């Protein structure tokens, strides 16, 4: 069975500070992809960052980085220098090699405080 | 370039009715996936179509059906609506089938369905 767990329903961060959003996953597939998406109140899911299960380096995309700890099955998102526009829901998702779908977590609501 | 477009954006139906939701993928994308997002939850996979063939189906009842047209646009149909079908229905497109770093899913803004 595939499962994504996000244990932080809501997070607050001061503008310009860094924040870490937690994600753990469970899968028996040896090969999988991990994704983070941002969902503003408009509803559209915006792709942020991707990490492959065999990637040796942690992924980075601008202010986003993924802290991938394979043995712990965790894929935490780090947002550096938070901006007011970062306030949104954030979803961690996994795509195993055996299927064509995403498994999503329940999301974390991030609020950036001026 | 146009992103993934979905219509309608909002709609209200009553129990027992039927609904059709539409999705136009990004130009050049041949795969369309549908997800249901109930308020306060993460999206749940419903269907995936690639090259007009169903390539995946989630754990949804037979009241849910979909199809993909020759231009790669797609429709999601839900019959005999229940209150629990109230949700945001998201469509996502990609060039190929399985999501990966080289085949990222791009989502539309969704169709928000309310069943009364």
């Amino acid at each position: 069975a595939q499962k994504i767990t996000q244990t932080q329903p809501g997070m607050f961060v001061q503008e310009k500070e860094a924040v870490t959003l937690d994600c753990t996953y469970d899968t028996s597939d040896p090969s999988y992809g991990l994704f983070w998406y941002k969902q503003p109140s408009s509803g559209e899911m915006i792709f942020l960052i991707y990490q492959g299960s065999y990637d040796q380096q942690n992924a980075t995309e601008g202010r986003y980085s993924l802290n991938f700890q394979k043995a712990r099955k965790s894929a935490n998102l780090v947002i550096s220098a938070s901006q007011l526009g970062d306030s949104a829901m954030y979803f961690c998702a996994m795509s195993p090699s055996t299927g064509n779908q995403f498994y999503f977590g329940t999301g974390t609501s991030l609020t950036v405080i001026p | 370039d146009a992103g993934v477009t979905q219509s309608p954006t909002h709609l209200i139906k009553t129990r027992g009715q039927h609904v059709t939701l539409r999705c136009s993928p990004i130009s050049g994308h041949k795969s369309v996936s549908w997800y249901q997002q109930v308020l306060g939850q993460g999206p749940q996979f419903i269907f995936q179509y690639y090259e007009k063939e169903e390539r995946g189906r989630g754990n949804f009842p037979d009241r849910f059906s979909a199809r993909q047209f020759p231009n790669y646009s797609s429709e999601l149909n839900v019959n005999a609506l229940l209150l629990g079908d109230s949700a945001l229905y998201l469509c996502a497109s990609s060039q190929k089938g399985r999501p990966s770093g080289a085949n990222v899913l791009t989502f539309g803004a969704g169709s928000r369905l309310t069943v009364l």
Side-chain angles (χ1 to χ4, degrees), chain B residues 8-19:
Chain B
T9 54
H10 295 81
L11 68 166
I12 300 173
K13 294 285 188 177
T14 57
R15 282 177 296 176
Q17 285 189 311
H18 163 91
V19 68

Side-chain angles (χ1 to χ4, degrees), chain A residues 7 15 20 22 31 38 41 49 51-52 61 65 67 74 96 99 103:
Chain A
T7 58
E15 193 177 5
T20 298
D22 294 342
S31 176
K38 171 184 178 181
S41 56
I49 196 166
Q51 179 85 41
E61 289 286 349
S65 61
N67 184 0
S74 73
Y103 294 87

